[in-house]
Amino acid sequence: IEMKKRGLAQKKIASILGITGAAVSQYFSKKRAAEIKFDKSLKKEVSKSVDRILENNELFMQEVQRILELPEIRTQLCKIHEQCGGACTECKICWHGM
């Protein structure tokens, strides 16, 4: 969604994310992941990552990893995980440090 706000075409977004154009379309039409909500801090980090990715598309995975490593984001990710069916013992985020 952040990339779309910046004017990128669905085809370009799909290419950067490594998914199909149809999948991108389903995210925009809320047929996929409609129940997932990001808080303000996670949206801010995603926006920073989009800035970096638009400068260099090859940074996509590095930026995903950067976000996942932020301590303040881990709690938010666990909440999202719970929204999607709950935490599991195999999850390295939800069970991190337990």
Side-chain angles (χ1 to χ4, degrees):
I1 291 170
E2 187 65 30
M3 288 182 186
K4 184 177 180 180
K5 288 180 186 176
R6 310 280 181 95
L8 269 70
Q10 282 188 199
K11 188 174 184 178
K12 180 67 174 174
I13 295 169
S15 174
I16 291 169
L17 300 179
I19 60 177
T20 66
V24 171
S25 178
Q26 288 182 346
Y27 285 114
F28 291 145
S29 66
K30 300 195 186 287
K31 290 182 181 177
R32 285 190 184 193
E35 70 282 357
I36 297 175
K37 307 291 183 222
F38 290 178
D39 74 359
K40 192 186 292 187
S41 64
L42 186 48
K43 286 180 182 180
K44 183 178 177 182
E45 292 301 329
V46 169
S47 181
K48 287 181 193 177
S49 289
V50 168
D51 288 339
R52 293 174 182 140
I53 292 165
L54 293 180
E55 290 178 17
N56 180 353
N57 293 350
E58 294 178 15
L59 294 177
F60 173 70
M61 285 308 297
Q62 182 178 333
E63 287 302 311
V64 169
Q65 291 171 345
R66 182 190 71 78
I67 289 172
L68 290 172
E69 305 251 335
L70 296 170
E72 66 272 19
I73 298 305
R74 288 187 178 266
T75 302
Q76 185 62 209
L77 292 173
C78 290
K79 288 178 186 174
I80 291 168
H81 193 187
E82 287 174 9
Q83 291 173 2
C84 297
C88 59
T89 56
E90 292 83 23
C91 180
K92 292 181 178 162
I93 295 172
C94 297
W95 290 91
H96 180 73
M98 292 187 171

